[in-house]
Every structure is written in C-alpha cells, then in structure tokens.
Amino acid sequence: MAVAIRGGHFGFSARRMKAIAEVHVPAAEITRAVELTARSVERALWRFELAAFAALIALLNLPLMAGHFADCLAFLPGAVRAGEWWRLLTHPFVHVSWYHLLLDATAFFVTYAELRPRRWRERFGLVAAAGAGGLLAAWWAAPVVSTCGLCGLSGIAHGLAAVVGLDLAQSRDRLWRRVGLASFAGVVLKSLVEALTGEILFASWHFGWLGTPIAVCHAGGVTGASILWLCFRRNNDARRNVVPGWTNPPFLSGLGNWKRPWSSCS
C-alpha cells in the first residue's frame, strides 16, 4: 500500500520548508550554549571527584567507629615486602584517630580545592607525587616507620599547599605574587624545621592523638609536589614555544635572537 505525502516534504508546504531552512541562529548563541554545557559537565565532574575522595577517606576510616584504625592498610615496609602491596596506595587515607582524620582531611580538601583550575590529570599527579615524596622521605630518613608504620594525608596536604603557593606566585598581581611566595616559603620553612628536628610543630598541643608523627614526610611531600609542579611549568612553556613566530623562549633566553626553523626569516 502506497502512502501519498502531499504538500511538500512530510506534509510541510514548500513555503514552510523554505522558512524553516532560513531560520538563523546567531553564532554567539551557539557558542554560549556550548560553553554553558561544558561548564555544567566540568562542574559535575569536579563534584564527583571531590565526592570520590570523600567516600574513599570515609570508607578506609570506618574502623575508627569501633575504636581502632585500619592498621592493615597503613604502610609498613616489612608487610609490603611480604606482598601486601596495597599499603603503598592506601596508607595516606588511613588515620589513627578522629582528631587525626579531621586535621588531615580538612587540610587536604582546602588545598585540593585550590587546584580546580588545573586539569584532573595534573591534580591526581600532584597528589601522587606528594604522597610518593612523603613515603620515600619517611622510609629513608625515619627508621621508626619500620615499627610504627606510616599513615595520614599530612604529607600530601603539605605538598599541595606548596603548589598553591607556587601557583599564586605566578599571578600578574603583585600582591598575590607576594602572598604566594610567602605561603610557599612558610610551608618550606615549616617542613625543613620539622625534618631537622624530627618533631612536628606544636606537637604538645595534640595530646598524643596523632600517634607517632613522622615529621620528615611533610618535607618529602613538599619536595615531590614541587618537582612535579616544575615539570608541569616547563611542559607548559614548551607548548607555548611551538607556536611559529615565537622567539627567545625562556629556557633559551641566553642564546640570543633564536628562531624556529619554520619561522619566517626577515
């Protein structure tokens, strides 16, 4: 059975179809719609990211509700050598008391929130670098780790605080540059003093609720995160320098008026 379609395409008259075809949507409106969609997606992913960290921290600290902590997830060199490799990944998120958890989680989320303008890969990389730096420093410089273990987010929080200071120091505003430099210098000085003395600042104020603090892990976290920040900075500079016509890149400023092979010769 054949179906006859009258009046143009799908029942629309030719005049109607012409009117539809002539509808014009301004490019600015399309761009704005795309930007709003991208922002909504970015906002949703950011919230999911924070919620994932919060859920992970809450899950690994559930034993605190029973009056003890998850020592099977803390870092112990002997246990790792025996095959319990997961301790390398879980130890930063485990805490020995509610007080310990409150201090570390607050510092972590406050500093991590300042990294929102960065790409998620950079944020995760900085967390991993600070955690690895704190772990290596404690393992190498604090023999007590072999018996007491290592856990907590303080090393990562110190590393992220250093990165926040470095980011602020790149601001075009003079005041924010000074704030950033002062923040970075303060974190470095605090970590250095703690590493040299072997004690965290104001240790007596915590009433022993932090277990056995491994102060040197703060310096390790700052070192690891700062090194990766420098790598990101150099990589971003290199990306800017691949644009034809750029001259005198920062890392080649001493070589005179350098030009890329494909730039036009004058």
Side-chain angles (χ1 to χ4, degrees):
M1 181 178 69
V3 178
I5 299 178
R6 300 178 181 178
H9 297 282
F10 304 104
F12 293 105
S13 65
R15 182 179 299 177
R16 180 68 172 174
M17 291 299 300
K18 183 178 179 181
I20 293 175
E22 291 177 349
V23 172
H24 174 69
V25 179
E29 290 295 327
I30 297 177
T31 302
R32 183 171 179 272
V34 172
E35 289 178 350
L36 289 176
T37 302
R39 290 177 184 175
S40 299
V41 172
E42 188 274 336
R43 190 181 303 113
L45 292 176
W46 170 250
R47 291 175 179 174
F48 174 79
E49 190 174 320
L50 293 179
F53 272 120
L56 177 63
I57 294 171
L59 179 63
L60 297 188
N61 288 279
L62 282 178
L64 291 177
M65 300 184 67
H68 58 88
F69 81 104
D71 55 348
C72 62
L73 302 177
F75 174 76
L76 278 171
V80 172
R81 284 193 291 266
E84 299 180 7
W85 55 267
W86 59 84
R87 294 174 180 264
L88 294 171
L89 304 176
T90 58
H91 78 273
F93 305 102
V94 177
H95 297 80
V96 299
S97 68
W98 287 109
Y99 179 74
H100 187 203
L101 174 61
L102 177 63
L103 286 183
D104 281 10
T106 300
F108 171 76
F109 281 111
V110 168
T111 52
Y112 191 80
E114 295 300 320
L115 303 182
R116 182 176 181 179
R118 290 180 171 272
R119 292 171 292 183
W120 68 269
R121 293 187 297 272
E122 292 184 352
R123 293 194 293 265
F124 285 6
L126 289 167
V127 169
L135 175 62
L136 292 174
W139 198 350
W140 175 69
V144 71
V145 169
S146 298
T147 55
C148 295
L150 177 69
C151 65
L153 282 163
S154 60
I156 293 178
H158 278 73
L160 298 187
V163 168
V164 172
L166 288 171
D167 283 345
L168 283 176
Q170 310 307 307
S171 173
R172 296 181 179 179
D173 185 88
R174 181 183 301 177
L175 175 60
W176 284 116
R177 285 202 305 271
R178 292 178 177 177
V179 171
L181 289 173
S183 300
F184 178 72
V187 174
V188 171
L189 180 61
K190 175 182 182 295
S191 301
L192 183 61
V193 170
E194 291 176 336
L196 293 176
T197 62
E199 295 184 0
I200 61 173
L201 293 184
F202 313 115
S204 61
W205 293 16
H206 302 294
F207 307 104
W209 294 341
L210 299 180
T212 304
I214 310 297
V216 72
C217 77
H218 296 168
V222 170
T223 302
S226 298
I227 290 175
L228 188 59
W229 180 90
L230 182 61
C231 293
F232 287 153
R233 176 68 185 277
R234 291 176 63 87
N235 184 50
N236 291 336
D237 288 343
R239 287 181 178 180
R240 286 194 292 267
N241 291 328
V242 300
V243 179
W246 276 67
T247 60
N248 292 332
F251 58 93
L252 293 174
S253 57
L255 299 183
N257 189 22
W258 178 86
K259 290 186 177 182
R260 293 196 174 276
W262 57 81
S263 60
S264 59
C265 299
S266 56

